[in-house]
Amino acid sequence: MNILTKKVINNLKELREHVGISQSKIAEVLGVDQGTYSRYENSDGEYLKKNLNIKQTIDLTNFYGLNSLNETVALLEGKYNEYLQTNWRKN
């Protein structure tokens, strides 16, 4: 597993735990069963890459109240602060 894939898996789990929701709840949001979602968080990364589709990534974006798919990807890759600094605009 490469470093980026490991970061995505770790951040997926940390984000869910930070918000305080169960694997069952986020699995429901994504339209998968809890066992499938558990594999997303605990696999070597290949399972996640092969099975997490764009619709589910968008569902994560909406569920966590993020502003864009790019913001979601930055968060999952562990580059969220960098993303905010790069994309922040003064009103």
Side-chain angles (χ1 to χ4, degrees):
M1 169 178 7
N2 67 39
I3 293 171
L4 181 57
T5 302
K6 186 173 176 69
K7 279 185 180 181
V8 169
I9 291 170
N10 289 340
N11 290 338
L12 191 61
K13 183 176 183 176
E14 287 177 15
L15 179 60
R16 179 186 58 76
E17 290 175 344
H18 177 73
V19 174
I21 60 171
S22 67
Q23 285 185 341
S24 296
K25 177 60 182 169
I26 196 68
E28 181 182 317
V29 168
L30 298 178
V32 298
D33 62 37
Q34 185 273 329
T36 298
Y37 184 79
S38 178
R39 288 185 71 188
Y40 288 173
E41 288 187 0
N42 297 301
S43 73
D44 65 359
E46 288 304 312
Y47 185 82
L48 179 67
K49 287 194 292 188
K50 289 179 182 176
N51 292 285
L52 186 69
N53 62 43
I54 190 69
K55 181 193 178 306
Q56 291 169 326
T57 308
I58 291 168
D59 290 343
L60 285 172
T61 300
N62 294 332
F63 181 79
Y64 288 120
L66 300 169
N67 295 317
S68 70
L69 191 54
N70 288 339
E71 189 173 357
T72 303
V73 171
L75 180 69
L76 293 176
E77 290 180 349
K79 299 177 182 176
Y80 190 65
N81 288 334
E82 180 182 322
Y83 171 84
L84 290 177
Q85 290 173 359
T86 303
N87 293 285
W88 182 77
R89 294 186 179 92
K90 291 184 179 181
N91 292 330

